Amino acid sequence: MSNAENVLSPEYKEALKTLLFQLADDDFLLSFRGSEWLGLAPHIEEDVASSSISQDTMGHAAMYYKLLEDLGEGNADALAHARPAEERKNSVLAERVNGEGYYLETPEYDWAYAVVRNFFYAQAKKVKIDSLRTSSYQPLAETAVKVSMELYYHLMHWKLWFTQLLSSTDEAKRRMNNAIELVMKDFGDIFSYGNAKDAIEKEGLIAKEEELKANWTERMKPVFESLGMEVPAIPAASEKNGRNGEHTEDLTEALTTLSEVYRLDPAAAW
Amino acid sequence: MTNLALAATEEEKMERFMEKIEKGIKIEADDWMPEEYRTTLIKLISMHGMSEIMGALPEKEWVPKAPSLHRKLGIMAKVQDEMGHGQLLLRVAEDLLKPYGKTRGDLMQDLFTGKLKFHNVFHAETRTWGDAGLIGWLVDGAAIITQTDMLNASYGPYARALHRICAEEVFHAQHGEAIIMALAEGTDEQRAMIQDALNRWWNSLLVFFGPAAKETLGTSKQDVTIKYKIRTKTNEQLRQDFFTKYVPRILSLGLELPDKTMHYNEEKEVWVYQEPDWSELKAVARNEGARSQARLNLRRTSYQTNAWVRDALAATIS
């Protein structure tokens, strides 16, 4: 498959764009949630570290939106800020709030949820990125190589938190196990391509859903075994499939916040 | 030490200490230092460190809302730097606190009880994206001026931290200036946004440098910090430097100075300006600024909410 935009078949291009929206929206929303944590992490060193991860993640989203811009989908900032909830293709997990309360008031965010969500997500992202390195769409394969370099550190960071908190106090274990349950409830659409499954899988853009799921479980196994735990099963499906534009109120609220200034004047330069 | 002949008296130690200060030899964490020097440094550096951490909060309010991918990335990096500065400075303060058996946790408690202050500019509310730009541009700009004055501070660990911090602050001021320039070149609404921000922040910016004389508020640390060569310039000199650097830039962007009486007296070579309202400083010292309690509460709540994490980490280390 050649990469010049004008020679991509319409079917290929459609499948590619859908996949790119899924990747972009996932990182964009999760990074937004990370930015709400800014200044509130358990200690200052962690604030610096996780903020750095959120920045990387926003950078990854920006690269995917740029690929979409290059495919003629419109301006990357508009793609990030102006699309309504029903057009978003991120997983439900990425849009979930960090815990109780709005970030501008006095939120009580849950660090256990942050650790589990980020660790499970980073591992899922890792198996996708590993597959994308050999994507049939060369610009995406090149992006995957760049993302991969940073993702290595994200995964290491969250894995350390995950194992430390699960090997510590009873309270930490209880909170972490609750968080695992919460995160897994939303894990059904993480590896889903939604209605575009057949189209995406046949174009050699990325591995099949089932293969990615198996890889995720395989990579998680040693971590869970070292803690005397079993890797939780990935649900076959979730109540809502974000890949098909099915979302929670959390996303609507997130979009209102993250586009507040942008919407004052979408035509203006900011 | 029992041999009195060999033991240096306090006066001799003080004499040697002042000799080092005069010669420009750096004082290090383990060196002998007079109590007054140590307590002055603790107060200065812990306030500076905590101000970086509390100062992340007003800007953080605009991080999720930044209006483009580029701006989101920029302001995330900027606020992260501030937290990093806070960490660097608290490490310096922690070393100085050692003889008193105090830790970072104690500093945090002092912040919550109001014993440890944070800079006046971080008690103010942020109303628009214009404020996010203005903080980077002028608040960081003001901070660069006071901190650059201390780059050669007699206390080595602080001076070295400031070298790193100032290098990053220059980027912050550029980041802020870029936001402001985009707004200045934008729509009428965008220009109004920055003029409004400037009007609201002006008093705080002037107050930031502290009173010219201790008579204004009854106290001032500037004499002690100059004596020990922690800083070189007075509050008023620093405020004048700020005007010299920023008044022309404010005007060149087509903005109006909030102080209509302000002018440069060529003969005396000073900026003549309307005295700011110092009651603001008294109010924030009591944590009674517009957002003092809200921000302290945010930090206090997150500190309590995350207590189990610190306990869990302590348990895995021991």
Side-chain angles (χ1 to χ4, degrees):
Chain A
M1 176 66 65
S2 160
N3 292 314
E5 192 207 327
N6 51 8
V7 294
L8 301 177
S9 76
E11 297 78 26
Y12 182 90
K13 201 170 156 186
E14 209 45 46
L16 170 62
K17 284 193 297 193
T18 305
L19 176 64
L20 285 172
F21 273 121
Q22 295 178 3
L23 296 166
D25 290 344
D26 265 359
D27 278 350
F28 185 62
L29 265 301
L30 194 74
S31 171
F32 164 77
R33 289 301 176 199
S35 75
E36 288 186 308
W37 261 105
L38 205 50
L40 307 176
H43 52 69
I44 300 160
E45 284 76 1
E46 177 55 28
D47 224 302
V48 176
S50 49
S51 163
S52 171
I53 292 175
S54 293
Q55 272 172 66
D56 287 349
T57 308
M58 185 61 71
H60 302 164
M63 287 194 266
Y64 296 130
Y65 286 128
K66 181 68 176 53
L67 290 178
L68 283 158
E69 186 180 301
D70 295 344
L71 287 165
E73 278 300 280
N75 173 272
D77 282 323
L79 296 177
H81 293 85
R83 288 159 51 240
E86 63 273 17
E87 286 179 25
R88 301 278 166 164
K89 304 234 184 292
N90 58 279
S91 63
V92 170
L93 182 69
E95 74 200 32
R96 287 285 187 204
V97 293
N98 293 313
E100 298 279 316
Y102 185 48
Y103 89 101
L104 282 177
E105 284 141 22
T106 314
E108 296 192 22
Y109 290 162
D110 179 359
W111 187 247
Y113 184 71
V115 169
V116 177
R117 165 158 68 175
N118 280 299
F119 177 46
F120 287 15
Y121 178 89
Q123 186 63 75
K125 185 169 166 179
K126 174 81 174 122
V127 300
K128 284 185 197 181
I129 287 292
D130 284 349
S131 169
L132 288 169
R133 293 166 73 118
T134 54
S135 174
S136 59
Y137 188 58
Q138 192 56 31
L140 181 54
E142 285 161 13
T143 301
V145 173
K146 285 186 214 157
V147 170
S148 189
M149 286 187 270
E150 293 175 338
L151 187 56
Y152 172 81
Y153 296 99
H154 303 179
L155 193 53
M156 195 156 72
H157 181 82
W158 295 119
K159 183 177 151 188
L160 182 65
W161 268 110
F162 185 77
T163 50
Q164 272 189 336
L165 291 179
L166 275 162
S167 349
S168 187
T169 59
D170 288 345
E171 187 184 5
K173 284 180 202 161
R174 180 180 61 75
R175 286 173 181 272
M176 290 294 285
N177 278 301
N178 283 346
I180 292 173
E181 212 171 292
L182 269 179
V183 168
M184 287 317 289
K185 264 188 204 154
D186 286 333
F187 227 62
D189 66 357
I190 282 281
F191 296 109
S192 166
Y193 302 126
N195 298 333
K197 178 181 190 298
D198 294 340
I200 288 174
E201 288 186 344
K202 82 165 195 253
E203 300 288 3
L205 289 163
I206 186 169
K208 291 187 166 54
E209 290 178 2
E210 290 311 315
E211 189 183 328
L212 295 180
K213 282 187 192 177
N215 287 347
W216 185 84
T217 306
E218 199 52 43
R219 301 275 187 94
M220 280 300 200
K221 218 177 251 171
V223 181
F224 276 81
E225 272 172 7
S226 74
L227 295 162
M229 294 165 69
E230 265 181 51
V231 184
I234 300 171
S238 306
E239 199 185 313
K240 290 176 191 290
N241 189 330
R243 310 304 184 190
N244 293 334
E246 299 163 15
H247 296 286
T248 66
E249 270 305 299
D250 292 359
L251 178 64
T252 314
E253 175 244 41
L255 295 178
T256 304
T257 301
L258 67 83
S259 65
E260 185 187 301
V261 183
Y262 174 86
R263 280 182 290 110
L264 290 177
D265 190 346
W270 291 96
Chain B
M1 191 164 307
T2 48
N3 190 338
L4 289 174
L6 288 176
T9 65
E10 288 293 304
E11 286 96 278
E12 283 165 347
K13 284 183 192 166
M14 185 67 191
E15 212 171 288
R16 259 181 257 152
F17 175 82
M18 285 313 290
E19 252 176 51
K20 276 163 90 176
I21 296 276
E22 292 307 323
K23 282 187 190 151
I25 298 170
K26 294 280 182 251
I27 308 300
E28 296 299 333
D30 294 331
D31 293 351
W32 184 90
M33 62 185 81
E35 191 82 0
E36 185 186 44
Y37 184 73
R38 186 182 292 277
T39 53
T40 301
L41 284 173
I42 289 174
K43 195 164 176 193
L44 175 74
I45 299 168
S46 57
M47 182 189 180
H48 185 181
M50 225 36 114
S51 296
E52 298 274 2
I53 288 162
M54 293 304 290
L57 297 180
E59 273 184 300
K60 170 249 166 82
E61 292 166 6
W62 292 92
V63 172
K65 296 181 180 181
S68 70
L69 289 162
H70 179 64
R71 294 284 181 234
K72 277 186 162 71
L73 282 166
I75 195 165
M76 273 168 129
K78 198 266 184 189
V79 180
Q80 182 206 13
D81 281 355
E82 305 295 6
M83 292 301 292
H85 298 170
Q87 192 248 344
L88 203 62
L89 292 163
L90 290 188
R91 295 286 301 112
V92 175
E94 281 171 301
D95 283 342
L96 286 162
L97 282 165
K98 259 184 205 151
Y100 304 119
K102 290 179 84 180
T103 66
R104 194 190 290 187
D106 297 309
L107 289 180
M108 213 52 95
Q109 290 307 327
D110 287 350
L111 174 76
F112 297 151
T113 60
K115 199 178 150 200
L116 175 54
K117 320 279 184 223
F118 58 103
H119 282 310
N120 74 301
V121 278
F122 303 126
H123 295 252
E125 63 173 335
T126 62
R127 281 191 210 158
T128 70
W129 174 245
D131 294 45
L134 193 121
I135 293 173
W137 184 38
L138 294 183
V139 173
D140 284 48
I144 290 171
I145 287 179
T146 59
Q147 290 168 19
T148 308
D149 181 53
M150 297 189 286
L151 282 175
N152 290 315
S154 56
Y155 188 59
Y158 189 44
R160 289 190 290 273
L162 285 175
H163 274 273
R164 281 183 57 180
I165 290 169
C166 282
E168 291 187 345
E169 294 290 357
V170 172
F171 283 110
H172 298 174
Q174 287 167 354
H175 149 92
E177 196 166 8
I179 293 175
I180 294 292
M181 287 196 15
L183 295 174
E185 290 162 7
T187 64
D188 290 349
E189 288 77 12
Q190 287 176 312
R191 275 194 298 277
M193 205 180 251
I194 45 174
Q195 182 67 57
D196 170 60
L198 181 64
N199 295 348
R200 282 183 290 106
W201 284 84
W202 186 253
N203 197 72
S204 303
L205 285 164
L206 267 57
V207 164
F208 176 80
F209 295 96
K214 71 174 170 196
E215 286 72 29
T216 314
L217 289 174
T219 59
S220 171
K221 280 272 170 210
Q222 59 179 333
D223 300 341
V224 183
T225 46
I226 290 172
K227 172 175 90 178
Y228 287 127
K229 293 198 191 303
I230 295 166
R231 60 192 275 187
T232 65
K233 293 183 181 173
T234 65
N235 292 345
E236 189 54 32
Q237 284 172 324
L238 294 169
R239 192 167 19 242
Q240 290 286 329
D241 287 351
F242 176 78
F243 292 143
T244 301
K245 184 168 176 188
Y246 287 104
V247 168
R249 295 189 191 192
I250 289 169
L251 296 174
S252 78
L253 287 174
L255 294 167
E256 283 177 24
L257 290 174
D259 177 355
K260 304 280 177 258
T261 69
M262 190 161 190
H263 61 277
Y264 189 69
N265 184 322
E266 299 281 351
E267 201 181 313
K268 293 184 183 159
E269 299 186 328
V270 289
W271 291 94
V272 182
Y273 60 96
Q274 223 160 50
E275 194 69 14
D277 177 4
W278 290 103
S279 67
E280 177 193 314
L281 195 57
K282 291 179 191 163
V284 300
R286 294 190 303 266
N287 283 326
E288 288 170 4
R291 296 287 294 166
S292 314
Q293 286 304 322
R295 297 214 176 102
L296 276 172
N297 200 29
L298 180 57
R299 179 135 285 282
R300 194 184 291 121
T301 305
S302 78
Y303 196 69
Q304 285 160 359
T305 311
N306 289 321
W308 71 271
V309 183
R310 290 188 301 276
D311 291 346
L313 292 181
T316 53
I317 293 163
S318 56

